[in-house]
């Protein structure tokens, strides 16, 4: 009987230890997310932009022209959300929409000189902070982290799809998707 009691106690301790490890990982992910948003919002505000507008400019600076779908995927947001952001940025002369030379059906979003100048003025944005931190890891660790993060993202995506399918209300935790908390002009912050 004493043996069973120890086994149960050891099992409870192992479960508590796993829960503690998971909690620390979640706290770290939320910290990284919150800090990157804070840095982006601060940098954006100093330049008269919203956080998502600055993110669009930094992505376009790094990658060049993108279709709306490609930009939406990179920002983990719905096309309708990115359309509104791009509309306001186009109005402000930060981006333009151009037809693709290779496929006239595709409309590409391109940063203007004004938009690129703003993007270049942000030297240590959230993406650069995270990029630098990731670059400091050993290649093997980066590859393993990438595998794990992609697996986590797929699991989260699957859970969201299941909830959306049954009409469950989406709980906003700052996820960059439609339905989350918005900053000015209906944009995510």
């Amino acid at each position: 009987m004493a043996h069973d009691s120890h086994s149960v106690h050891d099992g409870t301790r192992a479960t508590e230890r796993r829960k503690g490890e998971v909690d620390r990982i979640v706290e770290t992910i939320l910290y990284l997310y919150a800090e990157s948003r804070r840095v982006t919002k601060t940098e954006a505000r100093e330049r008269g932009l919203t956080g998502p507008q600055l993110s669009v400019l930094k992505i376009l600076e790094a990658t060049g022209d993108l279709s709306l779908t490609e930009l939406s995927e990179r920002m983990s947001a719905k096309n309708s959300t990115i359309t509104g952001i791009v509309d306001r940025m186009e109005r402000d002369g930060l981006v333009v929409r151009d037809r693709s030379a290779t496929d006239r059906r595709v409309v590409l979003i391109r940063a203007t000189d004004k938009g690129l100048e703003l993007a270049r003025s942000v030297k240590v944005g959230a993406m650069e902070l995270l990029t630098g931190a990731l670059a400091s890891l050993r290649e093997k660790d980066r590859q393993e982290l990438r595998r794990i993060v992609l697996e986590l993202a797929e699991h989260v995506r699957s859970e969201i799809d299941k909830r959306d399918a049954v009409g469950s209300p989406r709980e906003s935790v700052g996820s960059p998707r439609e339905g989350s908390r918005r900053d000015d002009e209906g944009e995510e912050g």
Side-chain angles (χ1 to χ4, degrees):
M1 195 88 172
H3 177 71
D4 289 340
S5 159
H6 285 299
S7 295
V8 169
H9 187 65
D10 290 345
T12 302
R13 241 187 288 168
T15 300
E16 288 173 0
R17 192 170 38 252
R18 267 193 308 277
K19 183 182 179 333
E21 289 170 353
V22 168
D23 287 348
R24 282 190 295 282
I25 292 168
V26 169
E27 289 167 3
T28 302
I29 291 169
L30 292 175
Y31 165 78
L32 292 170
Y33 178 73
E35 283 302 295
S36 69
R37 284 180 58 100
R38 184 186 62 75
V39 167
T40 300
K41 285 175 90 168
T42 300
E43 294 283 349
R45 195 175 306 116
E46 290 172 359
R47 289 159 179 81
L49 302 170
T50 64
Q53 288 174 333
L54 181 56
S55 293
V56 166
L57 290 175
K58 292 302 286 180
I59 289 169
L60 292 175
E61 175 194 26
T63 63
D65 303 353
L66 292 173
S67 71
L68 184 72
T69 299
E70 292 168 328
L71 184 58
S72 297
E73 288 170 359
R74 288 184 182 253
M75 292 188 65
S76 300
K78 298 201 181 230
N79 282 359
S80 58
T81 301
I82 300 302
T83 296
I85 294 168
V86 169
D87 285 347
R88 286 180 285 283
M89 293 177 72
E90 190 172 35
R91 177 198 67 205
D92 296 339
L94 301 172
V95 298
V96 294
R97 288 178 168 102
D98 289 325
R99 291 261 174 221
S100 167
T102 57
D103 184 347
R104 301 296 294 159
R105 296 170 296 175
V106 176
V107 175
L108 297 174
I109 299 159
R110 179 176 50 83
T112 62
D113 289 343
K114 177 182 175 182
L116 286 173
E117 185 179 320
L118 275 170
R120 289 182 189 119
S121 73
V122 179
K123 297 298 181 209
V124 184
M127 289 176 70
E128 286 84 358
L129 284 173
L130 291 174
T131 299
L134 289 169
S136 73
L137 298 175
R138 293 180 311 195
E139 183 177 353
K140 179 182 171 188
D141 292 339
R142 276 195 312 275
Q143 290 172 351
E144 181 68 3
L145 179 59
R146 181 176 190 272
R147 183 194 64 74
I148 292 167
V149 169
L150 290 174
E151 190 174 318
L152 284 171
E154 183 54 39
H155 181 76
V156 168
R157 217 177 346 258
S158 175
E159 286 298 314
I160 289 171
D161 290 345
K162 284 182 206 172
R163 291 177 186 194
D164 286 351
V166 296
S168 299
R170 182 179 291 164
E171 186 177 314
S172 174
V173 291
S175 172
R177 287 184 166 262
E178 232 174 36
S180 63
R181 186 183 59 76
R182 308 285 178 168
D183 273 354
D184 60 278
E185 298 188 75
E187 293 179 18
E188 297 175 21

